[in-house]
Amino acid sequence: MQAAMPNRLFRFRNPEDFARLRERFVAIGFTDRGVAEAIGIDKVRSISGQDVPLLLRRTSRGTPLDTLVRLLLIHVPVPQEACRRAIAPLALEDWIECGLVEREGGEVRATVQVVPFEGFYLASDLPRRVEAGLATDFVMGVGSSSLTLANLTIRRPARRTLDLGTGCGFQALLASRHSEGVAAVDRNPRAVRLAEFNARLNGRANIECLEGDLFEPVRGRSFDLVVANPPFVISPESRYIYRDSGMRGDEISRTIVREVGPLLAEGGFCQVLCNWAHRRGEDWRERLARWVEGTGCDAWVIRSDTLDAAAYAAKWIRHTERDAPDAFAERFRQWTDYYDQCGIEAVSGGLITLRRRSGTAHWFRADDAPERMLGPAGESVARGFELHDFLEAYPDDASLAQAVLRRSPDVRLHQRLEPCDEGWRLAEAEMRLERGLAYSGSVDLYITHLAARCDGRRRLGELLEELARAAGEDPAALAPACLAVVRRLVERGFLLPVTDPPRCPSAEPAPQTASPT
């Protein structure tokens, strides 16, 4: 059992000190831009241990900014008097009592890292706490999974948002910008304390930090948005709260998907970044479709990657055993034996987005992620639901031919030409999206011309007839194949309806509803 945390851990005795600290950071240039310019780097969060010798040289002037960069970002001790000057008018004793630093002889050493990131300040645990193998309550900072979820989150105004598995509170802070209120939940008491510290440090009074397992602290509440970056790693261990759920296989991901429905308001979204297992003799899409059945939600799964079980085990063991190579082989055997027992052949990662919708005719969709994601893609995700609704409202070729479409402003056509006797001829044409979920795909000359004519003025059937006549072809013969491609272009967001997409009927099942495959 872990020892109880001090009452004042990550809390200042004087609540006004949070604002004073933030003001001091800004005043001395401890900001994204200020630090990057001062020490000659592109991104503050990209600092690694290999950079320490160089950054020590670049922070040798002894300014308050140099001191805080060394203390909070490079994680090296600084003289006590230098620390006092850097944080004034706050007192060093208050920092020590709060648990941000500790004395070490005549110096001060940080116990957490504080990183300026995209207008926020984020306190999280030092990497050495987990590398020592002792910190089961380790609280991560902003990692790659945090950024992936942040970039895929739907950023529409919300009355209430839930950040499930908040960690240091990064997702909650982002959600506080477009939500009236945010509940940040974690089962790790240390994470809840750090998330609360970060909310106060950033002046976000609309964030409520709650300790508890999964949805227990918020049962009975209703949310317009739920974001979750849970401990989704499929492992036989329970060593680290941030990584291991303690549940068998991918049960943590399944549990969230199965139980979130009653907490979502009508039209509300839940977005879960997670891993799921590929079991022997079973299609992973069918497994996930069963997770969603009966939840009252439509679902879109975007798979980002898949690793075989051995490669997956090696990847995650290296995260915590990089300094203990002798332990790797035994841990690897334990993990792979566990996968054999569970019938797990591979593991995929990605985003599962659910949308609460009245009625019984719900749809399930599973896709691979595009090779590129250009900037925030939350709006692409939300639009994907709307476009799927639109296509279900036009279930056959005859109805789709009556639709009026326009090209997305984000679409670009790339053509590759090759030499021929007449000069040049088209060898390949590719349509690409240049924002959000940047899907791309090859198209033939006929579809290229059709998309060019989709300007939001005429029905699709008229455009098809016009192109067929110009090519000397039978419109009725060409239409089925062309309309099948058009559906795919709409689904991916290359072509858009000219008006708000119709919603699927909520009272009765529609006969055209896609089956969960």
Side-chain angles (χ1 to χ4, degrees):
M1 178 178 291
Q2 299 178 30
M5 288 183 291
N7 289 335
R8 303 227 61 81
L9 185 64
F10 307 133
R11 293 176 183 171
F12 287 121
R13 189 177 296 275
N14 184 350
E16 294 180 1
D17 283 350
F18 288 98
R20 292 193 184 101
L21 178 55
R22 184 171 66 252
E23 292 167 1
R24 181 59 176 168
F25 281 163
V26 174
I28 67 173
F30 190 70
T31 62
D32 304 56
R33 182 176 179 180
V35 171
E37 291 180 350
I39 61 178
I41 61 174
D42 293 329
K43 296 180 180 179
V44 175
R45 63 174 297 271
S46 66
I47 294 175
S48 69
Q50 296 176 344
D51 301 322
V52 171
L54 174 62
L55 296 183
L56 285 176
R57 180 179 180 85
R58 293 179 178 177
T59 56
S60 60
R61 296 164 297 176
T63 66
L65 179 57
D66 290 338
T67 298
L68 289 188
V69 169
R70 288 187 169 202
L71 181 68
L72 300 175
L73 297 180
I74 309 178
H75 317 144
V76 298
V78 300
Q80 288 190 37
E81 288 309 310
C83 184
R84 290 185 188 275
R85 291 192 298 271
I87 67 175
L90 280 76
L92 175 58
E93 289 70 24
D94 290 335
W95 272 46
I96 294 172
E97 183 183 34
C98 186
L100 301 179
V101 297
E102 58 188 9
R103 286 192 176 95
E104 189 176 84
E107 295 181 316
V108 174
R109 177 186 292 274
T111 58
V112 296
Q113 59 186 359
V114 181
V115 179
F117 185 74
E118 295 191 356
F120 291 121
Y121 292 99
L122 291 161
S124 60
D125 273 325
L126 297 172
R128 65 171 180 262
R129 288 195 77 234
V130 72
E131 289 169 1
L134 301 174
T136 60
D137 61 351
F138 180 80
V139 181
M140 286 187 64
V142 179
S144 58
S145 63
S146 308
L147 294 175
T148 298
L149 179 57
N151 280 326
L152 287 166
T153 296
I154 297 170
R155 302 287 175 198
R156 293 181 174 180
R159 181 182 57 85
R160 293 287 297 173
T161 293
L162 170 62
D163 176 13
L164 189 69
T166 190
C168 71
F170 176 55
Q171 308 296 338
L173 287 169
L174 293 175
S176 71
R177 290 172 167 169
H178 60 90
S179 306
E180 294 178 19
V182 180
V185 172
D186 205 292
R187 65 179 176 137
N188 181 356
R190 184 176 178 86
V192 175
R193 290 285 188 95
L194 273 168
E196 186 176 52
F197 176 88
N198 288 329
R200 293 185 178 185
L201 178 58
N202 290 284
R204 313 308 290 187
N206 60 340
I207 297 178
E208 175 188 17
C209 300
L210 302 168
E211 180 185 341
D213 194 26
L214 294 177
F215 299 111
E216 287 307 317
V218 293
R219 294 287 184 193
R221 300 192 190 184
S222 177
F223 297 93
D224 301 307
L225 175 66
V226 175
V227 291
N229 186 11
F232 55 66
V233 177
I234 300 174
S235 85
E237 301 183 355
S238 300
R239 298 176 69 192
Y240 301 105
I241 295 178
Y242 81 92
R243 186 194 70 182
D244 308 314
S245 69
M247 297 183 179
R248 187 171 177 83
D250 52 18
E251 185 62 22
I252 180 69
S253 303
R254 177 186 175 277
T255 298
I256 293 172
V257 169
R258 295 293 302 167
E259 295 186 4
V260 72
L263 281 79
L264 289 175
E266 178 71 11
F269 288 94
C270 171
Q271 298 185 272
V272 188
L273 194 73
C274 61
N275 287 174
W276 57 85
H278 294 227
R279 298 187 185 278
R280 282 191 291 270
E282 192 172 16
D283 185 279
W284 67 267
R285 296 171 183 83
E286 295 177 357
R287 281 195 73 228
L288 268 57
R290 289 196 297 271
W291 289 6
V292 178
E293 287 178 359
T295 61
C297 297
D298 301 312
W300 185 13
V301 179
I302 302 176
R303 179 176 64 162
S304 58
D305 67 303
T306 299
L307 294 175
D308 66 64
Y312 181 82
K315 168 189 171 182
W316 283 105
I317 295 171
R318 289 193 188 100
H319 270 258
T320 55
E321 305 300 326
R322 61 174 64 91
D323 295 328
D326 294 340
F328 182 91
E330 177 59 23
R331 300 276 305 289
F332 182 76
R333 184 192 62 77
Q334 293 171 357
W335 283 52
T336 52
D337 285 350
Y338 175 75
Y339 296 146
D340 287 340
Q341 295 167 10
C342 295
I344 297 174
E345 296 180 320
V347 178
S348 283
L351 180 78
I352 300 177
T353 301
L354 308 173
R355 181 189 58 181
R356 180 76 174 179
R357 182 167 58 84
S358 297
T360 57
H362 297 105
W363 52 262
F364 174 89
R365 170 183 170 189
D367 293 310
D368 287 331
E371 293 183 1
R372 302 181 301 161
M373 184 165 64
L374 301 178
E379 195 57 32
S380 294
V381 176
R383 186 183 300 118
F385 278 79
E386 295 166 351
L387 293 175
H388 195 101
D389 290 346
F390 168 80
L391 290 174
E392 290 213 332
Y394 292 81
D396 51 42
D397 287 354
S399 59
L400 184 59
Q402 300 304 308
V404 179
L405 304 176
R406 63 180 177 86
R407 296 183 307 278
S408 166
D410 300 323
V411 72
R412 302 291 184 271
L413 178 66
H414 294 257
Q415 295 181 325
R416 184 172 63 85
L417 305 179
E418 61 184 15
C420 64
D421 292 340
E422 293 76 25
W424 298 96
R425 65 185 174 198
L426 181 66
E428 184 181 34
E430 183 183 59
M431 292 178 68
R432 302 177 187 172
L433 291 173
E434 297 296 324
R435 183 181 301 178
L437 295 175
Y439 282 106
S440 62
S442 298
V443 290
D444 61 24
L445 193 60
Y446 194 85
I447 295 298
T448 300
H449 289 313
L450 177 62
R453 286 168 167 76
C454 288
D455 56 4
R457 298 179 182 180
R458 291 187 290 167
R459 290 186 178 88
L460 188 57
E462 295 177 27
L463 301 179
L464 287 170
E465 289 185 9
E466 179 181 282
L467 286 171
R469 286 196 301 270
E473 302 284 350
D474 178 9
L478 284 177
C482 289
L483 288 172
V485 175
V486 167
R487 284 187 179 276
R488 192 64 172 167
L489 293 176
V490 172
E491 186 178 62
R492 288 285 192 248
F494 293 97
L495 296 176
L496 306 174
V498 294
T499 59
D500 291 336
R503 300 289 182 180
C504 288
S506 59
E508 299 180 1
Q512 71 273 11
T513 299
S515 59
T517 57

